[in-house]
Amino acid sequence: MQGKVDRLQLMELFKPEEVIVERGSETSPIYRNLVRALPDVPFHMAKGDTLFRGAISGVRFAAAKRKLYLTKYNGEFFKKCPGSEGQVCCNYFVINFASNCPMDCSYCYLQDYLANNPELRVFSNVDDLIAEADRTLSRHRGDFFRIGTGEITDSLALEPYTGMVREIIPYFAEQPNVLLELKTKSDCVDSLLDLDPKERVVAAWSMNPQTVIDADECGTASLGQRLSAAYRCQEAGYRLGFHFDPIIEYQGWEADYREMIDQTFATIDWRRLAWVSLGVLRDTPALKRTMRSRFPKTQLLTGEQVLCPDGKLRYFQPLRVAMYRKMAYWIRRAAPTVKIYLCMETREVWEQVFGYAPACEKELGNQMAPAI
Ligand code: SF4
């Protein structure tokens, strides 16, 4: 694999057209990193909150992804993942160090979730983030926390400029009761490779066959680039995660997904996997309208879906169960004991796929805890 890694092209890196810095953020290490990494990009200082908010109002979603705002975050960084009503929850926590994403997947729920504040924002007060996480983690040493950073952004796509993850890994690597997950569709892992994650950091990829990437994951790394980045992280001592999500049903999907799974497990050592998740395509009526207007050629709108009690549209349950069973079978052939869970699915579906459903969210969360 190493020879292949050396020859692979890296993804074309997004570069902001402009960086707008809110007053006070210029003392942050993230500002220092941005200045160093973007010498030919104009930086503008916003003189105060009013001007800053005024400067970003009314920006359309696609245009909003091209300017980067560095601003202090005044809310709580550390939150429980909201999950979805009536679905089995995996007891996941999130830390939001940025908002929105420079890539542009047709099915991205952020198109709706951030419709009223779509600016590509990175938060400068990394000290506050670490202090807040430390208050929770040190107060609950008996509990295990699975924390993700990719709920409203991609965890690594901006890393070559912000160096955010590099700033926070040393803290999380020292915590005995945490796994920090960095979930991405990029291959921006260079800044991670000389750090020691001490078994506390999971580098994770959202995975889809190249056909789906080409059609619906604009600006992301190719399948080969994602696997190459995963391999490099594995060699650097990171645990790995894969999220086969959203799984799309189309003519010939089985062959594409089986091949992708085979390619994945031929590249990485499955014993370094912390977990694998499965989730089928889900959207909402509002998101479908947005997709129709922003991505009129996408094929994702043509499949039949039903409205579920949590307000999300999914494929019919029998089809979902059949798809999950096939995916789990192909994965288990290569990785017999890897932990697999379903993302945002009902107990009924769990039972039909795996023959059991976790008794509670804590049970599922604990199943993901490392055996070290
Ligand atoms: S990579 Fe993730 S966050 Fe970024 S556009 Fe795609 S789905 Fe949205």
Side-chain angles (χ1 to χ4, degrees):
M1 179 67 203
Q2 190 59 56
K4 281 187 206 164
V5 170
D6 290 339
R7 284 196 299 277
L8 279 168
Q9 297 280 312
L10 296 179
M11 69 184 274
E12 194 176 329
L13 205 55
F14 154 84
K15 195 170 195 181
E17 292 168 357
E18 181 185 359
V19 178
I20 300 173
V21 182
E22 186 180 33
R23 188 182 57 189
S25 290
E26 65 275 24
T27 54
S28 158
I30 307 302
Y31 174 76
R32 180 200 63 210
N33 296 342
L34 286 168
V35 169
R36 195 182 297 150
L38 294 166
D40 51 350
V41 169
F43 278 60
H44 293 119
M45 303 301 292
K47 292 195 181 70
D49 264 5
T50 312
L51 176 58
F52 184 71
R53 298 296 161 205
I56 60 180
S57 65
V59 185
R60 288 181 308 118
F61 196 82
K65 287 172 176 269
R66 296 199 288 271
K67 287 184 189 174
L68 194 105
Y69 290 82
L70 182 66
T71 175
K72 188 170 178 224
Y73 185 62
N74 294 314
E76 287 185 347
F77 281 102
F78 194 85
K79 295 182 186 119
K80 180 98 166 33
C81 173
S84 205
E85 198 184 328
Q87 318 302 304
V88 176
C89 167
C90 60
N91 206 30
Y92 197 67
F93 290 78
V94 291
I95 286 180
N96 294 322
F97 57 56
S99 178
N100 213 339
C101 168
M103 301 179 279
D104 206 6
C105 304
S106 67
Y107 54 77
C108 181
Y109 88 107
L110 298 181
Q111 295 172 96
D112 258 11
Y113 190 74
L114 298 177
N116 295 323
N117 49 343
E119 305 75 31
L120 181 56
R121 283 182 291 163
V122 175
F123 302 127
S124 55
N125 42 333
V126 61
D127 288 356
D128 291 341
L129 182 159
I130 290 174
E132 201 185 311
D134 193 54
R135 278 195 293 277
T136 305
L137 295 178
S138 52
R139 203 179 301 148
H140 301 281
R141 283 292 183 219
D143 292 328
F144 169 72
F145 291 85
R146 220 160 56 97
I147 304 175
T149 55
E151 190 207 12
I152 56 168
T153 189
D154 181 280
S155 297
L156 292 174
L158 294 169
E159 181 64 14
Y161 305 131
T162 66
M164 174 68 82
V165 166
R166 195 174 165 81
E167 298 290 335
I168 65 172
I169 283 181
Y171 166 75
F172 285 98
E174 295 298 334
Q175 306 310 307
N177 55 337
V178 77
L179 274 181
L180 178 73
E181 180 173 39
L182 309 167
K183 197 195 298 185
T184 189
K185 287 193 183 93
S186 81
D187 64 352
C188 303
V189 298
D190 287 355
S191 76
L192 280 61
L193 301 180
D194 66 339
L195 299 175
D196 183 357
K198 301 185 178 172
E199 297 290 320
R200 294 288 149 214
V201 184
V202 178
W205 278 266
S206 298
M207 300 291 278
N208 252 317
Q210 192 59 46
T211 319
V212 176
I213 294 173
D214 290 341
D216 286 288
E217 297 183 351
C218 181
T220 65
S222 69
L223 177 59
Q225 288 162 343
R226 293 180 208 186
L227 286 173
S228 162
Y231 177 81
R232 288 190 288 148
C233 283
Q234 173 190 290
E235 294 301 286
Y238 287 83
R239 299 167 80 95
L240 302 179
F242 288 114
H243 301 278
F244 298 104
D245 188 350
I247 309 167
I248 315 286
E249 197 259 349
Y250 56 91
Q251 186 87 33
W253 76 272
E254 286 111 324
D256 288 351
Y257 278 82
R258 194 174 51 225
E259 197 179 313
M260 171 187 61
I261 289 169
D262 289 347
Q263 196 181 341
T264 300
F265 291 105
T267 306
I268 59 98
D269 178 355
W270 68 270
R271 289 163 301 187
R272 293 297 300 155
L273 274 175
W275 48 65
V276 166
S277 81
L278 304 176
V280 295
L281 177 69
R282 50 202 177 274
D283 42 47
T284 62
L287 178 57
K288 274 193 135 172
R289 282 194 293 279
T290 307
M291 288 168 71
R292 230 171 245 123
S293 81
R294 293 199 63 226
F295 300 95
K297 290 193 182 144
T298 181
Q299 295 296 306
L300 303 192
L301 299 164
T302 56
E304 271 191 273
Q305 290 177 303
V306 287
L307 191 59
C308 299
D310 64 350
K312 293 195 168 64
L313 293 156
R314 293 176 175 82
Y315 302 136
F316 288 104
Q317 184 171 307
L319 175 59
R320 300 199 320 262
V321 170
M323 292 173 77
Y324 289 135
R325 281 182 178 159
K326 284 179 186 171
M327 291 290 290
Y329 173 72
W330 296 325
I331 292 166
R332 289 256 184 263
R333 278 194 317 189
T337 58
V338 72
K339 294 167 186 166
I340 307 178
Y341 68 93
L342 303 181
C343 189
M344 292 193 191
E345 274 297 355
T346 59
R347 299 183 63 78
E348 215 178 318
V349 170
W350 268 83
E351 275 157 11
Q352 289 182 51
V353 175
F354 297 123
Y356 84 99
C360 65
E361 59 184 47
K362 208 159 184 179
E363 181 188 318
L364 178 55
N366 286 338
Q367 282 176 15
M368 302 297 153
I372 55 173

